[in-house]
Amino acid sequence: MDNDKPQLVIRDIPFGLWFFGLVFSGFGVLMAYSGGPPLFMSLLFLGVGLAIGLFASVVTITADRITRSLTMESRSALRSKRMEVLWDDIIGINVERTVSSGRGARYLYGLTLLRKDGQVVALQQYKSSGREGKESRAIRLREFIGIRDTNRVPSGMIPMELSQFSEVHETDSIHWQIQPLTTYGATAPTGFRWSSTDFKTTGCFLFLAQKGEGQSSTGFLASLGKMLLRQAFSAHGFQPEEAPSLEDAITLEPLDPSIESHFLAYTNEPDRARSLLNATTTAKLSQWAGKYPLKQLQSGGSYCQLMVLFGPSGVAIATNHLLERNQAYELISYGVELVKSQKSGFGCSASNF
C-alpha cells in the first residue's frame, strides 16, 4: 500500500515521443541515402526527429511523507527542471480536460496541482488522451498526501469571470447563478447548471430532456421508466423539491414540431406546463439541438445533452459536457432568454408574476 511507504514516486516516461523521434530521424536518414527527395527535406525530418528525442522529458513526481513536500523533476538530454511544493500549500490534485483544436477535436487530459494561492501547476509535460490512468495517479497522490478532490473547473472550460460560483450575476435584469456539474467517474466538472429564481411556477413543473436524433418519443427516458427519469434528474444537479410530484410525472405530447424530434418533456400538470412552451422557449431549444445534436449512439463523452426545468424553485438548465469555452456564454444566454419569455406574460402562474 502507498500509505505504508515514506515516499510515493510516479514516473512519466515519454516512450511515445521517443518512438516518433526515432521514426522521423530514421526517415530522414533513409531519404538522404535514397537520393530521391531534396537534401533539405531529409535534413528537416532528421532535425525534427532529433529535436523530439532531445527535448522529450522524463517526469518524476515524488511525494515525501518525511519532508511533507511534493517535487516534480523534468529531465531531458538538453535540460532539467525541478519544482517543489509543500503539502500545506496544496489544496487539490486534479485531472483537467481541454479540447484539442482543429478538425476531429478530442478531449486531452493532464494531471495538475492546485495551490492555495490559486496557481495551477502542470504535473505532466503534455496533455494526452486517456483519462483513466491519470485519474488513478491523481487518486494515489491525494490519498498519500491526505487531501480530497477540490472539483476545480478545468482551465479553459469556463471564463475566469464566471468561476466564482457563489456570485449572483445579472443580465438584462435577470439574476442568475452558474454551478459546476460533475458527471459520474470524473474528478473535475465536465458541465454546468445555470439557474434563476426570477420566475417560479406555483406547483407545476416542466422538465425537458434532449434525446438522440431519430429516437421516438417512446424511447430514451420515457421507455426506461421513472427510476431512470429520477437518475437523469439528479445527475444534472436538480433537487427533488424543484419538481413536486416527480413520481407522478407523465410525458407531455405532442410537442412543437421544431423540438419534437430533439426533446422529451415531462410534467405533473400537462395543461399548465404546455403554456411554458412559448415561441421563444421552443426557438431556443431548437437552436441548441440544431447546433449540438445528440446522436443515438454517442461515445467518448463528447456531447452536450441539455436538460431544462421550469418549477417552483425557478428556471434551471444544465448540460453534462461543455465542448468549448464559448458554450458557457451560450448557456447563460439561453437561460436569460427563457426567463425573460416567461416574465413577459407567458407560462403558468408564477409566485412573483
Side-chain angles (χ1 to χ4, degrees):
M1 294 291 291
D2 291 333
N3 289 335
D4 297 329
K5 303 174 182 178
Q7 285 187 337
L8 170 63
V9 180
I10 295 175
R11 187 168 285 110
D12 189 8
I13 303 176
F15 290 116
L17 288 176
W18 286 344
F19 174 77
F20 280 112
L22 183 62
V23 169
F24 271 87
S25 298
F27 194 56
V29 172
L30 182 63
M31 287 194 299
Y33 275 99
S34 67
L39 180 60
F40 81 89
M41 288 295 295
S42 302
L43 294 176
L44 177 63
F45 274 89
L46 180 61
V48 170
L50 288 174
I52 293 175
L54 293 174
F55 282 97
S57 300
V58 176
V59 177
T60 303
I61 302 170
T62 304
D64 192 302
R65 180 171 282 114
I66 297 175
T67 62
R68 291 185 57 81
S69 65
L70 185 144
T71 60
M72 185 191 75
E73 293 182 284
S74 175
R75 294 182 178 273
S76 69
L78 297 180
R79 60 182 181 179
S80 64
K81 180 182 178 181
R82 187 177 187 275
M83 177 208 68
E84 181 175 349
V85 183
L86 297 178
W87 287 8
D88 291 340
D89 294 329
I90 302 173
I91 61 172
I93 293 177
N94 297 297
V95 176
E96 299 209 352
R97 185 195 72 184
T98 58
V99 182
S100 62
S101 57
R103 298 184 61 182
R106 60 195 179 99
Y107 289 147
L108 300 176
Y109 301 91
L111 191 63
T112 64
L113 176 153
L114 178 62
R115 296 170 54 107
K116 285 184 177 179
D117 60 8
Q119 181 183 358
V120 180
V121 180
L123 294 179
Q124 291 179 304
Q125 189 176 15
Y126 306 103
K127 285 186 172 69
S128 60
S129 59
R131 188 194 69 195
E132 287 76 12
K134 300 176 183 67
E135 295 277 11
S136 177
R137 292 180 175 184
I139 292 171
R140 290 178 64 195
L141 283 168
R142 284 197 297 267
E143 290 179 347
F144 191 85
I145 295 174
I147 61 175
R148 62 184 179 83
D149 177 20
T150 57
N151 281 338
R152 201 185 84 83
V153 178
S155 59
M157 184 175 165
I158 187 170
M160 183 62 67
E161 62 269 22
L162 301 178
S163 61
Q164 298 298 320
F165 298 118
S166 60
E167 184 177 348
V168 177
H169 302 266
E170 182 177 351
T171 303
D172 291 344
S173 299
I174 302 299
H175 302 86
W176 54 269
Q177 286 184 283
I178 192 166
Q179 298 289 333
L181 180 66
T182 304
T183 53
Y184 177 77
T187 61
T190 56
F192 289 92
R193 168 189 155 99
W194 178 99
S195 62
S196 173
T197 58
D198 282 5
F199 174 83
K200 300 178 182 180
T201 66
T202 53
C204 71
F205 77 86
L206 173 64
F207 181 55
L208 295 124
Q210 189 177 2
K211 65 179 182 178
E213 288 182 308
Q215 290 180 320
S216 68
S217 295
T218 57
F220 190 50
L221 296 176
S223 66
L224 296 178
K226 294 178 182 178
M227 181 182 71
L228 288 188
L229 170 59
R230 292 195 302 271
Q231 290 179 355
F233 191 83
S234 61
H236 285 77
F238 299 108
Q239 302 301 316
E241 59 269 19
E242 295 182 88
S245 306
L246 184 64
E247 298 287 342
D248 301 325
I250 62 173
T251 305
L252 183 64
E253 296 179 303
L255 299 178
D256 186 278
S258 64
I259 61 172
E260 178 73 36
S261 60
H262 298 291
F263 286 91
L264 286 171
Y266 301 88
T267 183
N268 61 333
E269 297 187 31
D271 292 337
R272 297 176 65 196
R274 193 172 295 280
S275 65
L276 293 166
L277 292 174
N278 55 56
T280 299
T281 298
T282 54
K284 285 297 177 181
L285 294 173
S286 178
Q287 183 181 355
W288 178 279
K291 191 171 183 179
Y292 306 109
L294 191 64
K295 307 296 183 182
Q296 284 200 49
L297 299 176
Q298 203 92 38
S299 62
S302 54
Y303 58 93
C304 295
Q305 184 180 18
L306 191 71
M307 302 285 182
V308 181
L309 175 68
F310 296 92
S313 297
V315 178
I317 58 178
T319 180
N320 52 357
H321 286 91
L322 291 181
L323 301 184
E324 56 190 50
R325 184 180 178 91
N326 287 336
Q327 280 185 306
Y329 290 117
E330 288 187 80
L331 204 67
I332 293 167
S333 175
Y334 279 43
V336 169
E337 291 301 318
L338 293 184
V339 175
K340 286 172 61 178
S341 71
Q342 303 303 328
K343 293 188 70 174
S344 296
F346 299 96
C348 57
S349 301
S351 59
N352 60 347
F353 175 69

